[in-house]
């Protein structure tokens, strides 16, 4: 067979087949093991018999022998299949299938003298072909694909390829103890479902393993991030042998005769982070022992690359599944009535309600600040994962002790020095619904975190948490300015609610300007003596006339509005929003020193349960028997099909510098969109 120069160039630039160079000698036969799918490049020049000037080559029927040459420089000798030895000729042998016996394929290289008639010598090469393939679900269908191509690369997008590995961070084993991946053994049969299947297929004669061995191995860099178990012959948990991990970099696979299959399970140990891009590689290598006294040399390596599934947040627009809230029974600021209102709202939204008792929350009611719910997903499995904040107050133990469990994972990040600020609480962590910005799609939304004003050098979320959020890649974070608030959380000035039109949601922003405008309108209508905080008893009422005459109210509002407008510009730019996508919710703040707090219950700090909204009752001025703030908010949100329920949280949350969103938390349904289809 001949290939012309044009084909030669084409072949070398498109061929992905691996090659192994083999030297032949006329003095003694050569023996080689080759893996199906690779080629043997035969060195016909390295050991040429004396007097030889040309050669020809022939192989048995199980082989494909190809001679590659440049016809401008080399031609076969006239009327023969012989080739001059002083030319640039390459011989490549490929195999059609696995061998049925050792050395059942043969190549003969015949060397001839100057006349072309005299056979000087023959060089024999005996070839045994093995089929070896390390396979995983690289097509992301939930099924392991045999002999897949492009296993060594991981690509994003709907046409991408590459296997997915879950961090096994739930607890399917005994109810006490750590996450499953803290243990170097399979804890239960349910635990296996969280691992990624890896199959090593072999086909060929067992005699190959007389002087070869097959090894599964991992690099020292990846070993701390993945663990591998080898499944034994029975279903007993004790038959799942821990073979790879931080203390085991290689494992010799047992020999097989004919078709053999070894089943492995890979377990993720670490999420993507600042020092880990999320990719791990597992390899199988066929090693040859040429003699008992020499080290083994590699013959063939197959590699599968996994990407560790990221932790994914869920926005308000996702279906609510379970509400979490704390019970506070002692002290002046009990929340019994608040709990009753939340129970009613949960029933309307057909949502499960879990109440954390005071013995577990230890007087800490701010359950939103303690944790954030998300999930992990692979083609074969998905489960929710709670992200525990580093704030470490009364609820410190709740996520680990009460939420971690079967098919419910746990992750946390804490600074080594233990220093945290209010901005490290997860009321300062939010997520937008899916958006498209200038043609760039963010089908899982974008994370929002509050930070300090550029150049101010004030409070920021700790680096270890920020690094973790950025490293997940699928929900690129946006940093907002929240340090102007006393508490400093983004949920104090923004929220998202579902909508039936446009982008499928509206962004709600707290607005002092909208509030002052509303109050001035009511004053002009003759309701200047209507007052805030009417009926709260121990709290003094403030009339609209008095409020609007207060210069500090106007100056504070101007400052706060400028801070919110700065964030408004960022959100419009980074989320691709227009003014029609934003609703201004009337809200006043007052400065205490250099930072702001809500004057009356902060209505954007709400709980969103589908179309049902639990909104802090603002206790605004009563006009025509109705709170004008509530009426205004209803007029803005009810046309979107939303049901507004105003809940009294004044003494149980508001005067303690928080509201409904701060005091509740919601686990939501995962996205139907698969994160690996993103183009980051």
């Amino acid at each position: 067979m001949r290939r012309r120069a044009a084909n030669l160039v084409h072949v070398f630039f498109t061929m992905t087949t691996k090659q192994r160079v083999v030297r032949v000698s006329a003095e003694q036969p050569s023996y080689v093991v080759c893996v199906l799918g690779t080629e043997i490049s035969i060195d016909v020049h390295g050991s040429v018999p004396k007097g030889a000037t040309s050669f020809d080559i022939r192989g048995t029927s199980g082989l494909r022998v190809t001679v590659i040459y440049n016809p401008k420089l080399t031609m076969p000798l006239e009327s023969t299949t012989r080739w001059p030895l002083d030319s640039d000729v390459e011989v490549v042998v490929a195999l059609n299938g696995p061998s049925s016996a050792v050395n059942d394929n043969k190549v003969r290289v015949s060397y001839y003298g100057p006349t072309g008639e005299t056979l000087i010598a023959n060089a024999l090469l005996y070839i045994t072909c093995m089929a070896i393939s390390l396979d995983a679900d690289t097509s992301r269908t939930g099924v392991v694909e045999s002999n897949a191509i492009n296993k060594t690369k991981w690509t994003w997008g709907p046409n991408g390829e590459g296997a997915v590995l879950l961090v096994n961070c739930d607890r399917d084993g005994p109810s006490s103890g750590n996450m499953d991946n803290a243990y170097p053994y399979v804890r239960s049969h349910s635990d296996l479902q969280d691992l990624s299947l890896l199959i090593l297929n072999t086909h060929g004669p067992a005699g190959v393993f007389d002087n070869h061995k097959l090894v599964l191995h991992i690099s020292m860099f990846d070993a701390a991030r993945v663990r591998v178990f080898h499944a034994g012959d029975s279903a007993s948990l004790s038959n799942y042998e821990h073979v790879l991990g931080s203390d085991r970099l290689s494992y010799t696979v047992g020999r097989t005769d004919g078709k053999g299959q070894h089943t492995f399970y890979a377990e993720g140990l670490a999420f993507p982070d600042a020092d880990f891009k999320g990719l791990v590689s597992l390899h199988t290598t066929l090693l040859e022992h040429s003699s008992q006294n020499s080290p083994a040399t590699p013959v063939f390596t197959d590699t599968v690359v996994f990407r560790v599934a990221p932790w994914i947040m869920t926005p308000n627009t996702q279906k609510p599944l379970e509400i979490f809230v704390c019970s506070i029974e002692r002290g002046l600021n009990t929340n019994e009535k608040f709990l009753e209102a939340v129970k009613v709202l949960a029933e309307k939204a057909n949502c499960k309600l879990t109440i954390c008792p005071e013995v577990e929350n230890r007087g800490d009611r701010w359950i939103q600040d303690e944790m954030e719910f998300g999930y992990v997903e692979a083609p074969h499995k998905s489960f929710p994962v709670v992200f525990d904040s580093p704030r470490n107050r009364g609820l410190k133990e709740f996520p680990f002790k009460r939420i971690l469990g079967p098919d419910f994972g746990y992750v946390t990040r804490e600074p080594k020095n233990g220093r945290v600020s209010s901005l490290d609480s997860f009321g300062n962590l939010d997520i937008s619904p899916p958006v498209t910005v200038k043609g760039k799609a963010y089908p899982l939304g974008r994370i929002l975190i509050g930070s300090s004003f550029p150049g101010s050098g004030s409070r920021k979320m700790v680096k270890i948490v920020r690094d973790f959020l950025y490293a997940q890649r699928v929900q690129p974070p946006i940093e907002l300015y929240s340090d102007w608030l006393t508490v400093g959380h983004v949920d104090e000035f923004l929220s998202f609610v579902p909508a039936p039109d446009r982008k499928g949601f509206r962004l709600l922003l707290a607005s002092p300007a909208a509030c002052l405008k509303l109050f001035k309108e009511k004053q002009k209508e003759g309701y200047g003596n209507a007052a805030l905080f009417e009926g709260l008893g121990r709290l003094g009422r403030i009339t609209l006339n008095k409020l609007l005459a207060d210069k500090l109210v106007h100056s504070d509002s101007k400052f706060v509005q400028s801070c919110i407008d700065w964030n408004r510009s960022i959100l419009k730019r980074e989320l691709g929003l227009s003014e029609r996508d934003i609703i201004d919710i009337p809200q006043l703040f007052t400065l205490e020193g250099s930072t702001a707090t809500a004057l009356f219950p902060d209505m954007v700090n709400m709980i969103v349960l589908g179309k049902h909204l639990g909104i802090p009752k603002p206790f605004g001025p009563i006009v025509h028997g109705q709170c004008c703030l509530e009426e205004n908010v209803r007029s803005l949100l009810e046309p979107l099909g939303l049901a507004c329920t105003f809940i009294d949280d004044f003494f149980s949350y508001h005067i303690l510098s928080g509201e409904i969103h701060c005091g509740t938390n919601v686990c939501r349904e995962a996205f139907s969109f698969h994160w690996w289809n993103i183009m980051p």
Side-chain angles (χ1 to χ4, degrees):
M1 181 183 294
R2 307 174 188 175
R3 290 183 183 163
R4 298 187 178 276
N7 288 336
L8 178 62
V9 174
H10 175 73
V11 168
F12 272 89
F13 277 92
T14 62
M15 186 170 60
T16 59
T17 305
K18 298 176 183 177
Q19 282 193 350
R20 182 184 182 191
V21 176
V22 175
R23 306 179 188 281
V24 294
S25 171
E27 297 179 0
Q28 59 186 12
S30 300
Y31 300 88
V32 67
V33 171
C34 182
V35 175
L36 189 66
T38 63
E39 294 178 341
I40 298 173
S41 176
I42 300 179
D43 180 5
V44 297
H45 301 87
S47 185
V48 176
K50 185 177 180 180
T53 60
S54 64
F55 76 96
D56 73 5
I57 185 166
R58 299 178 186 276
T60 52
S61 59
L63 305 175
R64 300 190 307 277
V65 180
T66 305
V67 177
I68 303 173
Y69 69 99
N70 186 337
K72 293 182 179 179
L73 303 176
T74 303
M75 290 295 290
L77 299 178
E78 187 175 355
S79 301
T80 73
T81 58
R82 296 174 195 164
W83 300 86
L85 282 165
D86 61 355
S87 61
D88 183 14
V89 173
E90 182 179 356
V91 176
V92 174
V93 176
L95 295 101
N96 295 326
S99 294
S100 57
V102 174
N103 302 327
D104 63 349
N105 296 288
K106 183 174 69 174
V107 172
R108 184 186 69 197
V109 181
S110 300
Y111 292 96
Y112 295 87
T115 65
E117 300 295 331
T118 305
L119 174 66
I120 295 178
N122 286 319
L124 297 177
L125 173 64
Y126 291 92
I127 302 173
T128 306
C129 180
M130 289 286 296
I132 298 173
S133 180
L134 186 63
D135 298 312
D137 179 16
T138 52
S139 59
R140 306 170 193 162
T141 61
V143 178
V144 173
E145 181 181 1
S146 298
N147 297 300
I149 60 174
N150 298 327
K151 294 182 291 187
T152 60
K153 295 181 179 179
W154 204 99
T155 51
W156 295 88
N159 297 317
E161 294 178 301
V164 176
L165 192 64
L166 291 176
V167 177
N168 191 16
C169 59
D170 65 344
R171 186 167 58 201
D172 292 315
S175 58
S176 61
N178 212 329
M179 296 170 285
D180 289 337
N181 65 10
Y183 304 92
Y185 51 85
V186 178
R187 304 189 76 202
S188 69
H189 287 100
S190 295
D191 190 19
L192 279 176
Q193 305 304 312
D194 300 336
L195 311 188
S196 293
L197 189 60
L198 190 70
I199 295 177
L200 175 59
N201 287 296
T202 62
H203 188 190
V208 168
F209 296 105
D210 292 342
N211 56 357
H212 290 76
K213 66 178 180 180
L214 195 57
V215 175
L216 191 73
H217 57 102
I218 191 173
S219 76
M220 60 183 295
F221 305 105
D222 289 345
R225 286 141 183 170
V226 65
R227 185 184 289 126
V228 177
F229 300 94
H230 187 190
D233 295 332
S234 76
S236 171
L237 293 177
S238 61
N239 280 287
Y240 291 91
E241 181 186 2
H242 172 209
V243 296
L244 291 183
S246 57
D247 58 343
R248 304 178 187 189
L249 300 183
S250 65
Y251 169 72
T252 300
V253 181
R255 60 191 292 164
T256 57
D257 188 9
K259 289 186 178 181
Q261 187 177 90
H262 295 270
T263 301
F264 298 90
Y265 290 90
E267 174 183 45
L269 305 179
F271 280 98
D273 218 322
D275 60 347
F276 175 41
K277 292 184 177 180
L279 296 174
V280 295
S281 299
L282 295 174
H283 317 271
T284 186
T285 296
L286 184 66
L287 294 171
E288 178 183 20
H289 288 276
S290 56
S291 70
Q292 292 183 348
N293 299 322
S294 61
T297 56
V299 172
F300 167 83
T301 294
D302 202 13
T303 297
V304 173
V305 175
F306 287 86
R307 180 174 287 278
V308 176
W311 179 76
I312 301 172
M313 285 181 65
T314 49
N316 284 352
T317 47
Q318 291 300 109
K319 179 183 177 181
L321 301 176
E322 185 172 2
I323 307 168
F324 293 82
V325 64
C326 292
S327 173
I328 304 294
E329 299 175 0
R330 294 174 294 178
L332 295 175
N333 305 109
T334 60
N335 69 344
E336 183 178 356
K337 291 183 178 179
F338 176 82
L339 287 182
E340 288 301 319
V342 172
K343 286 179 183 177
V344 172
L345 190 66
E347 290 174 0
K348 289 181 180 178
N350 193 27
C351 195
K352 180 181 177 182
L353 178 64
T354 296
I355 298 176
C356 173
E358 195 162 9
V359 67
E360 293 181 11
N361 64 54
R362 295 182 293 179
D364 181 6
R365 69 191 69 206
W366 310 112
I367 199 165
Q368 176 65 49
D369 288 342
E370 181 59 39
M371 60 192 184
E372 185 67 58
F373 288 106
Y375 68 96
V376 292
E377 179 195 19
H380 69 282
K381 183 69 181 287
S382 177
F383 57 82
V385 176
V386 62
F387 186 9
D388 191 0
S389 81
R391 69 189 282 268
N392 294 341
R393 291 170 60 180
L395 280 160
K396 175 183 178 181
E397 304 296 335
F398 181 73
F400 186 85
K401 288 186 175 180
R402 299 292 292 177
I403 296 180
L404 170 64
D407 284 341
F408 213 126
Y410 173 91
V411 64
T412 189
R413 289 293 183 273
E414 296 195 17
K416 292 181 180 179
N417 61 15
R419 297 175 186 170
V420 296
S421 73
S422 175
L423 269 66
D424 299 309
S425 297
F426 284 171
N428 196 35
L429 176 61
D430 213 319
I431 178 80
S432 81
V435 291
T436 299
V437 186
K438 295 181 179 178
K440 170 69 175 176
Y442 299 93
L444 301 178
R446 298 190 66 180
I447 288 171
L448 308 176
I449 57 177
S451 190
S452 56
F453 194 81
S456 70
S458 298
R459 297 176 295 175
K460 291 180 182 291
M461 185 176 282
V462 289
K463 185 176 185 297
I464 193 169
V465 174
R466 291 172 69 252
D467 286 348
F468 175 84
L469 296 172
Y470 276 91
Q472 307 314 303
R473 294 194 64 183
V474 296
Q475 298 172 311
I478 301 169
E479 295 200 35
L480 301 173
Y481 173 36
S482 65
D483 193 38
W484 56 275
L485 288 153
T486 302
V487 176
H489 295 175
V490 293
D491 68 354
E492 296 178 75
F493 66 88
L494 68 81
S495 185
F496 295 92
V497 295
D501 57 357
R502 297 185 60 76
K503 294 179 173 62
F505 68 90
R506 294 290 191 274
L507 166 63
L508 309 185
L509 289 178
S511 176
C515 190
L516 290 177
K517 179 183 177 183
L518 175 66
F519 285 175
K520 288 176 182 177
E521 289 175 354
K522 299 306 174 187
Q523 185 186 47
K524 288 181 180 179
E525 292 171 8
Y527 298 101
N529 288 322
L532 277 77
F533 313 134
E534 196 77 66
L536 285 176
R538 52 179 162 154
L539 198 74
R541 59 197 294 277
I542 305 173
T543 66
L544 288 181
N545 287 336
K546 183 178 180 181
L547 183 76
L548 294 173
D550 191 332
K551 292 182 180 180
L552 282 178
V553 169
H554 291 276
S555 62
D556 290 356
S557 296
K558 183 177 180 181
F559 166 75
V560 170
Q561 189 66 59
S562 68
C563 295
I564 294 174
D565 285 346
W566 174 274
N567 291 305
R568 187 190 202 96
S569 297
I570 295 173
L571 290 162
K572 288 175 67 175
R573 180 178 68 249
E574 297 294 335
L575 297 180
L577 306 180
S578 71
E579 284 297 322
R580 293 178 62 197
D581 300 312
I582 301 172
I583 296 176
D584 290 312
I585 301 297
Q587 187 65 49
L588 290 183
F589 296 81
T590 59
L591 288 181
E592 298 178 356
S594 60
T595 58
T597 58
L599 174 63
F600 53 82
D602 188 350
M603 291 185 287
V604 297
N605 195 282
M606 64 178 69
I607 184 172
V608 180
L609 305 174
K611 69 177 183 178
H612 297 280
L613 310 181
I615 305 172
K617 185 175 180 62
F619 291 94
I622 304 299
V623 177
H624 299 304
Q626 298 291 329
C627 170
C628 66
L629 289 170
E630 291 185 23
E631 287 299 297
N632 180 262
V633 170
R634 290 186 192 277
S635 70
L636 295 171
L637 300 182
E638 288 182 350
L640 299 174
L642 301 171
C644 300
T645 299
F646 290 90
I647 298 174
D648 181 358
D649 73 345
F650 200 96
F651 294 111
S652 54
Y653 291 90
H654 171 68
I655 65 171
L656 301 175
S657 300
E659 309 289 356
I660 295 177
H661 187 261
C662 307
T664 58
N665 214 317
V666 183
C667 182
R668 299 181 184 275
E669 193 174 73
F671 285 101
S672 59
F673 183 92
H674 302 309
W675 62 267
W676 50 83
N677 289 330
I678 283 177
M679 296 297 293

